[in-house]
Amino acid sequence: MTEKAAVPETASNDEAYDNMHQAIKMHFKRMDEGTVQDFELLAQVHTNSLKALPDLLINMLQTLKSDAIYPIDRLSHSLQSATRALKDNKDEEYIVCCLLHDFGESLGPFNHGEIAGAILHPFITEGNQWMLAHHGIFQTYYFGDKLGIDPNRRDQFKSSPYYEQTVEFCAKYDEVAFDPDYRSEPMSTFEPMVRRLLGSKKWSVM
Ligand SMILES: [Fe+2]
Ligand SMILES: [Fe+2]
């Protein structure tokens, strides 16, 4: 049993808070010395992190709005990508992948697709995960020649079962989604989709 900290009658608010905090704290110095109660708390931490994940990702998307160098900011690009998929009657999981495909671009300029693929991996199909992780390489088909990069690097993946899916994603929902005249749906259209997808985990928390 986790001991309940006794909060003295005269304790200040700070002391009461410290006592309460001690009572709900994991106490091990090394993990193999942890108790069942410690790891129940750890599981609860993961559960809480999972609940907070939709807001965290949506907030990270909002920060892409500050990017003024692109023809349209990257939040608008994300919304346009998702709207194009919505209008093509793609399924909800695919639409959320479009919305979130670039959220990690500031964290991983060289491998942002792998970031999106890794974070969404527990919630999406193998095909969508592969598509997100590889879309950066496939996307260079459209501009690699301007940077001295082989535009056909995607050819090395021709034998993948997800090659055509990733070609389609880049062609229809990524490389064309920089049009300032396109009328995208607002974030409120997609927020419930994000929450549904991230609430339907395919993996267990622990
Ligand atoms: Fe991207
Ligand atoms: Fe993109």
Side-chain angles (χ1 to χ4, degrees):
M1 287 283 291
T2 305
E3 284 185 16
K4 290 262 187 288
V7 181
E9 292 281 320
T10 55
S12 68
N13 285 344
D14 284 349
E15 285 172 329
Y17 179 83
D18 286 345
N19 285 335
M20 184 184 72
H21 195 246
Q22 271 300 109
I24 60 167
K25 194 175 171 65
M26 290 174 258
H27 294 95
F28 51 81
K29 290 182 181 171
R30 34 185 289 172
M31 292 189 92
D32 65 358
E33 291 176 349
T35 64
V36 170
Q37 287 75 24
D38 285 332
F39 289 105
E40 283 175 353
L41 282 174
L42 183 61
Q44 190 59 49
V45 169
H46 285 291
T47 300
N48 293 344
S49 298
L50 196 55
K51 282 184 191 156
L53 188 56
D55 285 327
L56 184 63
L57 295 183
I58 289 166
N59 287 340
M60 287 186 74
L61 264 186
Q62 296 289 353
T63 67
L64 300 182
K65 194 166 30 180
S66 62
D67 193 335
I69 294 179
Y70 280 74
I72 61 174
D73 67 67
R74 286 178 296 165
L75 171 61
S76 300
H77 167 65
S78 303
L79 291 170
Q80 189 175 141
S81 175
T83 303
R84 288 175 182 275
L86 178 69
K87 291 194 171 167
D88 281 353
N89 294 315
K90 291 290 190 181
D91 63 57
E92 189 163 292
E93 178 181 312
Y94 191 95
I95 292 166
V96 174
C97 286
C98 288
L99 182 74
L100 295 173
H101 74 279
D102 279 343
F103 87 87
E105 204 167 344
S106 302
L107 293 171
F110 296 112
N111 63 341
H112 69 280
E114 289 176 326
I115 293 174
I119 301 296
L120 295 180
H121 195 174
F123 312 100
I124 61 179
T125 62
E126 188 176 297
N128 283 337
Q129 193 274 333
W130 197 97
M131 175 183 84
L132 287 172
H134 290 82
H135 85 267
I137 291 176
F138 279 57
Q139 188 81 332
T140 57
Y141 176 77
Y142 298 100
F143 60 84
D145 59 329
K146 320 285 193 315
L147 285 174
I149 298 170
D150 177 7
N152 296 308
R153 286 193 304 159
R154 65 186 192 177
D155 288 357
Q156 65 188 291
F157 300 110
K158 270 193 170 159
S159 62
S160 165
Y162 310 119
Y163 175 85
E164 290 299 338
Q165 177 183 340
T166 309
V167 166
E168 183 197 46
F169 167 75
C170 288
K172 291 186 176 178
Y173 308 111
D174 198 1
E175 79 110 356
V176 294
F178 294 93
D179 182 352
D181 298 322
Y182 189 90
R183 292 178 69 88
S184 294
E185 292 287 323
M187 182 65 87
S188 57
T189 298
F190 303 112
E191 267 198 47
M193 299 184 192
V194 173
R195 294 185 194 287
R196 276 194 291 271
L197 182 70
L198 300 187
S200 65
K201 59 186 164 39
K202 295 180 171 63
W203 291 1
S204 145
V205 170
M206 295 293 289

